Amino acid sequence: MGKINAVITGIGGYVPDYILTNEELSRMVDTNDEWIMTRVGIKERRILTEEGLGTSYMARKAAKQLIQKTGVDPDSIDALIVATSTADYHYPSTASIVIGKLGLKNAFAFDFWAACCGFIYTLDVASSMIQSGRYKRIIIIGADKMSSVTDYKDRQTCPLFGDGAAAVLLEGTEEEGLGLQDSYLRTDGQGLPFLHMKAGGSVSPPSHFTVDHRMHFTYQEGRTVFRYAVTKMSEDCELIVQRNELTKDTIDWIIPHQANMRIIEALAKRLELPMEKVMVNIEHFGNTSAATIPLALWENEHRMKKGDNIIMTAFGAGFVHGANFLRWAY
């Protein structure tokens, strides 16, 4: 038996129907389309508005589409992992809810919490599980309902975020040179003051005070996060390029986390890559956290071909960052 590697063999996705435009946002807070487009490059974002529906609903929709598209036997799935920062509940895990709704009988499930790096971290961990030979098929879902943690009275952060989910099927192959080739993942634990939610966890449980003072929403110091994101994502990609002897000519696609168009453009410039090689969906989806990269894969599936060299990179809360290098398998 040859060396097993992990390859993505299918993608499914889901975004809510409701579109929140910059024009509508400008009636909620003191902002306008020009201000938002100039600073972050977002025109609209999808919002899950139906009451009683959370991240698991979008994750399930994406996974269901994936299963239908690939024709994979649900009973052959060994594990299902949801990368999210907006779990339905503190417990049980969002993944356990998804697995119950999908009726997967032979799989175990857990959530992976690495903020906007959730998908690229999970891809590395799940690939290791496949390479061990103990698991053959794993569904990875990046899903976030960022509208649930967004303060629509804060003009600095409310234009940034949207809701969505995308799922990939990860399988083993013995075909050489395909699938995940390399990852560089790091966590700089100094990021807490600059990007966090002030209350709702064990340090500051919910109370009348925390609710009254709007402490259950995303807090971000934009300039600091911007600077770190550009630096770390660029350095991580450059390291992957050097380590795998890639060049700007042999890189087919780069898929950056979709947080800010200016970050994406700065990254492409530092890597000397034309924007035609950069997958971008921020203008119509906004920042969907762990869902941004798999949603970009989902939207651009038809543009990729077998053997394409792809670098994915992200940066998020906790100052988690990193990059994956994979060769497309189909």
Side-chain angles (χ1 to χ4, degrees):
M1 186 175 174
K3 182 190 173 190
I4 301 171
N5 205 9
V7 292
I8 291 173
T9 57
I11 315 170
Y14 173 80
V15 289
D17 294 331
Y18 184 78
I19 298 172
L20 177 59
T21 64
N22 288 347
E23 183 188 358
E24 188 176 349
L25 267 181
S26 69
R27 297 195 292 269
M28 297 161 65
V29 289
D30 180 20
T31 191
N32 58 64
D33 180 71
E34 185 188 7
W35 190 91
I36 297 169
M37 285 299 293
T38 302
R39 282 161 182 78
V40 292
I42 299 170
K43 199 86 177 168
E44 58 190 35
R45 64 292 289 153
R46 301 298 184 100
I47 305 295
L48 185 63
T49 55
E50 290 85 351
E51 203 168 319
L53 296 181
T55 297
S56 70
Y57 172 79
M58 298 186 293
R60 173 167 56 92
K61 296 281 273 190
K64 196 168 183 180
Q65 187 192 83
L66 168 70
I67 290 168
Q68 288 170 344
K69 274 174 65 177
T70 58
V72 66
D73 178 2
D75 290 345
S76 73
I77 303 298
D78 296 311
L80 182 144
I81 308 168
V82 176
T84 187
S85 300
T86 53
D88 284 23
Y89 307 98
H90 273 306
Y91 47 83
S93 70
T94 302
S96 69
I97 298 169
V98 174
I99 217 169
K101 294 284 188 183
L102 290 174
L104 304 186
K105 297 183 184 67
N106 299 315
F108 70 100
F110 61 93
D111 289 356
F112 199 111
W113 204 326
C116 300
C117 277
F119 182 78
I120 68 168
Y121 273 38
T122 306
L123 181 64
D124 188 76
V125 170
S127 293
S128 298
M129 292 168 64
I130 296 281
Q131 287 165 346
S132 75
R134 292 174 62 193
Y135 308 98
K136 289 184 170 58
R137 291 192 172 116
I138 299 174
I139 291 176
I140 303 171
I141 308 171
D144 271 301
K145 184 183 175 183
M146 293 304 292
S147 63
S148 67
V149 292
T150 298
D151 186 352
Y152 288 98
K153 292 185 177 180
D154 177 8
R155 70 190 294 263
Q156 300 292 333
T157 58
C158 73
L160 303 177
F161 299 109
D163 303 337
V168 302
L169 179 62
L170 204 65
E171 296 189 79
T173 184
E174 290 184 38
E175 190 174 347
E176 282 186 33
L178 294 178
L180 186 67
Q181 302 295 303
D182 193 13
S183 293
Y184 178 79
L185 308 172
R186 291 293 183 272
T187 301
D188 175 352
Q190 307 307 308
L192 173 63
F194 310 107
L195 181 52
H196 60 271
M197 186 190 292
K198 294 179 185 296
S202 60
V203 167
S204 182
S207 66
H208 286 295
F209 179 87
T210 63
V211 173
D212 292 346
H213 288 79
R214 308 186 70 78
M215 294 168 67
H216 295 266
F217 299 116
T218 299
Y219 169 81
Q220 174 173 277
E221 288 187 21
R223 284 183 183 173
T224 303
V225 173
F226 181 96
R227 189 173 69 249
Y228 265 84
V230 171
T231 302
K232 293 300 183 185
M233 286 165 66
S234 300
E235 288 175 355
D236 297 348
C237 288
E238 285 167 349
L239 188 141
I240 286 284
V241 166
Q242 291 164 9
R243 212 152 72 172
N244 295 277
E245 299 179 345
L246 297 167
T247 68
K248 59 185 177 183
D249 298 319
T250 58
I251 298 169
D252 295 294
W253 302 103
I254 184 159
I255 312 174
H257 170 52
Q258 312 283 309
N260 185 314
M261 192 62 197
R262 289 189 300 156
I263 293 175
I264 295 169
E265 289 168 346
L267 175 65
K269 189 175 179 181
R270 278 190 60 166
L271 294 173
E272 299 182 349
L273 287 173
M275 286 302 292
E276 294 78 49
K277 287 189 171 187
V278 185
M279 290 188 191
V280 180
N281 62 16
I282 189 172
E283 186 171 338
H284 54 278
F285 287 160
N287 182 351
T288 55
S289 192
T292 67
I293 289 175
L295 276 174
L297 285 172
W298 175 60
E299 273 200 307
N300 293 280
E301 185 180 12
H302 64 286
R303 299 171 69 192
M304 296 180 288
K305 61 185 187 299
K306 188 173 181 176
D308 275 1
N309 289 324
I310 300 168
I311 294 177
M312 303 185 293
T313 184
F315 179 91
F319 286 5
V320 291
H321 59 94
N324 306 127
F325 164 43
L326 71 152
R327 284 207 182 94
W328 201 242
Y330 64 94

